[in-house]
Amino acid sequence: MTPTTETMVGIGGAAESTDMVLNIGPQHPSTHGVLRLKLVLDGERITRAEPVIGYMHRGAEKLFEARDYRQIIMLANRHDWLSAFSNELGVVLAVERMLGMEVPERAVWLRTLLAELNRVLNHLMFLGSYPLELGGITPIFYAFREREELQHVMEEVSGGRMHYMFNRVGGLKEDLPAGWTMRARAAVADVRSRMDRFDDLVLGNEIFRGRTRGVGVLSAEAVHAYGVSGPIGRASGVDFDLRRDEPYLAYGELGDVLKVVTREEGDCLARFECLLEQTHNALDLADACLDRLAELPPGPVNQRLPKVLKAPEGHTYAWTENPLGINGYYLVSKGEKTPYRLKLRSASYNNIQALTELLPGTLVADMVAILGSMFFVVGDIDK
């Protein structure tokens, strides 16, 4: 084998008979944040790719050990800032399991409703930003309009626009404002009535389909090998969704509404289609939760807790189907008011590792299309 040399160059540099090492990021418009991609190129084709992470590392797992069980909720909801409610949910489910605590029925259904509204908010961001990265500016304006509809009802119930801090061990912070369910139902209906714009404007665009069909194909074997989950894994034919396969909250009673969206192609287009169809289904699930809440009698939404909350000695693992994939918390307690260890298994961390499999062999021009279709949040990688 002929030995090769590597030359570190900037964008636009080149050298004959040498591989070019190109750094995309850590500050770059196509990296979704502070992510660095180290690409080795042979002409226009990528031969090796290495995602370099850690630029946003906040030491959240270590900070968990110095905060009590009420305070860690604030830390947990920030790693995936587009899925704050779902992040909180995993923590309180783990603590409640350690305590053997039953949550009031109204709180269970309200958590399910808010988790699905949060899922729609997360997906709308990517449904708008992905076409933008491929040159289509219009969808992002529609996406933010729909997000604002739902943000209003989420902000009204919780007081927060991004970091809701509405989950509590034993339930939720407080009951709903008067008339909130009617306003939430109206917002869901409004968003659903305009979702066909993404079907027509984006999926019906021949340039978008040309840039994404057959590009960045991720095999089902690679999904299993790297622990890829969520819409990215399901787009490669891996039919797995914790809401159906290991139900939590009220999902066990929503089997007739819940639809696990899959595709077989595993390309960028399939990942976008999964995300879009899953958004439609999340709106249906939100309506089903609102219907069930209307049937429930008035009642509490939380449990009374001692002034100092201590989890019994032991360990447990709670995982949930977050918008971007599987989110898990491994909680170890020594019987104190703070966790001895709280390990976070985030969806984006595993999903982004698959880039080492996806990018080699593709053209540099397709790199942005592939990277954007992975639907990740950098804070969810670095934790």
Side-chain angles (χ1 to χ4, degrees):
M1 181 176 178
T2 306
T4 60
T5 59
E6 290 187 354
T7 303
M8 188 75 71
V9 298
I11 294 177
E16 285 189 32
S17 73
T18 64
D19 289 336
M20 184 169 76
V21 180
L22 180 66
N23 282 294
I24 304 294
Q27 294 286 0
H28 193 276
S30 68
T31 57
H32 287 221
V34 195
L35 173 73
R36 174 185 166 208
L37 283 177
K38 182 181 176 184
L39 308 178
V40 179
L41 308 181
D42 181 7
E44 290 291 315
R45 201 164 293 277
I46 299 169
T47 59
R48 193 163 72 247
E50 178 189 354
V52 183
I53 65 174
Y55 294 95
M56 287 190 67
H57 181 60
R58 297 175 296 116
E61 291 181 357
K62 197 65 183 173
L63 290 172
F64 286 147
E65 299 171 15
R67 305 290 190 275
D68 67 32
Y69 287 105
R70 293 177 175 91
Q71 295 169 328
I72 59 175
I73 299 171
M74 180 276 293
L75 288 170
N77 76 13
R78 281 162 164 74
H79 55 89
D80 175 0
W81 47 77
L82 296 177
S83 310
F85 187 87
S86 302
N87 299 342
E88 300 170 12
L89 189 60
V91 169
V92 296
L93 289 176
V95 180
E96 288 162 5
R97 185 176 297 173
M98 289 284 282
L99 294 167
M101 180 180 290
E102 288 290 331
V103 176
E105 188 178 12
R106 273 176 56 78
V108 171
W109 282 96
L110 271 172
R111 281 177 171 179
T112 311
L113 167 63
L114 295 171
E116 290 306 311
L117 293 178
N118 193 196
R119 192 180 308 276
V120 177
L121 284 168
N122 175 288
H123 290 357
L124 280 170
M125 177 62 78
F126 291 107
L127 292 174
S129 66
Y130 185 43
L132 180 66
E133 290 163 356
L134 298 181
I137 193 172
T138 308
I140 192 71
F141 297 116
Y142 288 121
F144 268 87
R145 174 180 172 173
E146 311 315 327
R147 277 174 55 84
E148 282 303 308
E149 290 270 358
L150 298 177
Q151 286 282 27
H152 286 323
V153 295
M154 293 292 282
E155 185 176 7
E156 182 186 1
V157 74
S158 68
R161 283 183 61 82
M162 287 187 69
H163 304 299
Y164 305 109
M165 279 300 294
F166 199 55
N167 277 289
R168 295 292 187 273
V169 176
L172 295 168
K173 176 186 173 185
E174 57 197 6
D175 209 341
L176 303 174
W180 182 86
T181 53
M182 291 187 295
R183 292 187 287 278
R185 193 183 292 277
V188 170
D190 285 346
V191 172
R192 181 187 286 108
S193 70
R194 293 189 291 265
M195 282 299 296
D196 60 345
R197 286 175 174 163
F198 295 97
D199 296 277
D200 300 336
L201 189 65
V202 182
L203 287 182
N205 186 292
E206 62 183 74
I207 298 175
F208 178 84
R209 298 183 76 87
R211 291 288 308 274
T212 55
R213 186 192 286 115
V215 175
V217 177
L218 182 66
S219 67
E221 292 75 21
V223 168
H224 291 299
Y226 287 92
V228 175
S229 59
I232 300 172
R234 291 190 284 274
S236 296
V238 178
D239 188 5
F240 180 71
D241 191 313
L242 284 173
R243 297 174 296 170
R244 179 200 63 194
D245 300 325
E246 194 174 310
Y248 57 98
L249 295 182
Y251 290 113
E253 300 180 47
L254 293 169
D256 55 337
V257 183
L258 175 62
K259 180 182 178 184
V260 179
V261 183
T262 61
R263 292 291 187 275
E264 295 297 327
E265 295 83 0
D267 57 8
C268 296
L269 181 60
R271 291 190 277 273
F272 186 86
E273 287 177 342
C274 276
L275 200 76
L276 178 56
E277 197 170 335
Q278 191 168 283
T279 308
H280 285 286
N281 186 241
L283 292 168
D284 294 339
L285 287 166
D287 267 340
C289 291
L290 285 165
D291 291 341
R292 183 71 175 110
L293 282 167
E295 299 169 359
L296 292 177
V301 294
N302 49 37
Q303 298 274 28
R304 291 185 66 87
L305 298 176
K307 188 172 182 180
V308 177
L309 180 64
K310 295 183 179 181
E313 189 169 348
H315 60 92
T316 190
Y317 183 69
W319 57 348
T320 54
E321 188 68 40
N322 268 30
L324 298 181
I326 293 173
N327 190 78
Y329 293 98
Y330 177 61
L331 172 62
V332 181
S333 171
K334 295 288 188 180
E336 302 295 332
K337 66 178 183 179
T338 61
Y340 176 76
R341 182 80 168 92
L342 187 58
K343 175 73 175 73
L344 167 60
R345 188 268 190 219
S346 61
S348 297
Y349 180 81
N350 284 70
N351 292 354
I352 204 66
Q353 308 307 319
L355 286 172
T356 58
E357 188 97 8
L358 271 178
L359 289 175
T362 63
L363 296 172
V364 178
D366 290 329
M367 185 274 298
V368 175
I370 297 169
L371 186 66
S373 73
M374 296 306 286
F375 310 133
F376 61 88
V377 171
V378 179
D380 202 40
I381 301 170
D382 292 343
K383 299 175 280 189

